[in-house]
Amino acid sequence: MSDSNQTRVTLLQKLQANQDEHSWDDFVRYYEGYIYVVIRNLGVGVEDSQDILQEILLKIWKAIPNYSYDREKCRFRTWLCVVIRNKVYSFFKLRSSRNNRLNVSYDNLLQNLDLITDAEIDKIAEKEWQSYVSNLAWENLQDQFPKQAKEVFEASLDEEDNAVLAERFDVAESSVRVYKMRIRKAMHKEIVRLNQELGG
């Protein structure tokens, strides 16, 4: 298997064994966007999300040597979401204590984070992962298709009726079906590949 097709488990093992720069760069390239989306969905503003992202990446870098992967007990992305939730909680707690004098309250945000159970973290991790991997798959594939096929496919995400799409893009209905089928098939294959490579 080539380096570009290493599975996530192998990537983690390489990070644990060597913590080499190439493996870390691969990890950051694939996971940075996912971590950022989860941070934002936990209520952190855009201006603070990048700082928290960097703190989380540093924490992961330090934790990787001691991380024990056991897919049966906990998926990596679930563990990652626990790390993210804890870091976001610490961020809001620190802000809360600093801003008490300014009458700025982070109590609601802290209470919401406190109420997130491990099962809910797993659901958040899964939902965000599916969305993230689908977007990543489309980024990887879209240049392989003609402009019209891409436009029809993207429009089909909001409009399922092939006749409406055919009229809008001035193509035969059969062409709409072919575009959608080819791209969906390629997307499915790429999503499966990414999930295997990244641990889906």
Side-chain angles (χ1 to χ4, degrees), residues 5 33 37 40 42 54-56 70 86 90 93 96 98 112 116 118 139-140 157-158 160 170 172 196 198 200:
N5 291 323
V37 167
R40 293 283 289 123
L42 291 176
Q54 295 309 313
E55 289 178 26
I56 289 168
D70 184 348
N86 292 344
S90 297
K93 190 79 172 160
S96 177
R98 285 182 182 169
N112 289 340
I116 299 175
D118 288 346
E139 282 176 34
N140 292 347
L157 300 175
D158 295 319
E160 292 183 21
D170 194 26
Q196 288 172 342
L198 302 176

Side-chain angles (χ1 to χ4, degrees), residues 2-135:
S2 70
D3 278 350
S4 63
N5 291 323
Q6 296 294 311
T7 65
R8 181 183 59 78
V9 176
T10 302
L11 176 58
L12 289 177
Q13 289 170 339
K14 283 167 65 177
L15 279 172
Q16 289 177 312
N18 304 317
Q19 284 194 289
D20 64 271
E21 195 172 317
H22 176 70
S23 297
W24 179 248
D25 288 345
D26 282 347
F27 175 87
V28 171
R29 181 167 48 97
Y30 281 115
Y31 280 94
E32 185 175 40
Y34 174 67
I35 294 168
Y36 181 82
V37 167
V38 175
I39 291 169
R40 293 283 289 123
N41 283 343
L42 291 176
V44 180
V46 173
E47 62 282 355
D48 296 312
S49 293
Q50 281 297 330
D51 290 339
I52 293 174
L53 171 63
Q54 295 309 313
E55 289 178 26
I56 289 168
L57 288 172
L58 181 61
K59 186 173 180 70
I60 292 165
W61 173 257
K62 291 177 178 177
I64 283 290
N66 300 318
Y67 175 75
S68 178
Y69 178 71
D70 184 348
R71 189 181 173 109
E72 299 303 314
K73 290 183 180 176
C74 176
R75 284 182 278 208
F76 179 73
R77 64 179 174 262
T78 302
W79 176 82
L80 194 53
C81 282
V82 170
V83 170
I84 296 167
R85 192 256 327 251
N86 292 344
K87 181 55 80 174
V88 169
Y89 185 89
S90 297
F91 167 79
F92 285 134
K93 190 79 172 160
L94 183 62
R95 282 286 173 98
S96 177
S97 61
R98 285 182 182 169
N99 288 303
N100 273 344
R101 291 164 291 175
L102 304 173
N103 294 323
V104 177
S105 176
Y106 287 88
D107 291 346
N108 286 344
L109 290 166
L110 288 167
Q111 285 173 354
N112 289 340
L113 289 170
D114 263 339
L115 294 173
I116 299 175
T117 65
D118 288 346
E120 288 170 322
I121 287 176
D122 197 43
K123 284 181 187 174
I124 291 168
E126 188 61 28
K127 178 181 172 227
E128 295 306 331
W129 183 258
Q130 295 309 323
S131 175
Y132 179 72
V133 168
S134 294
N135 290 332

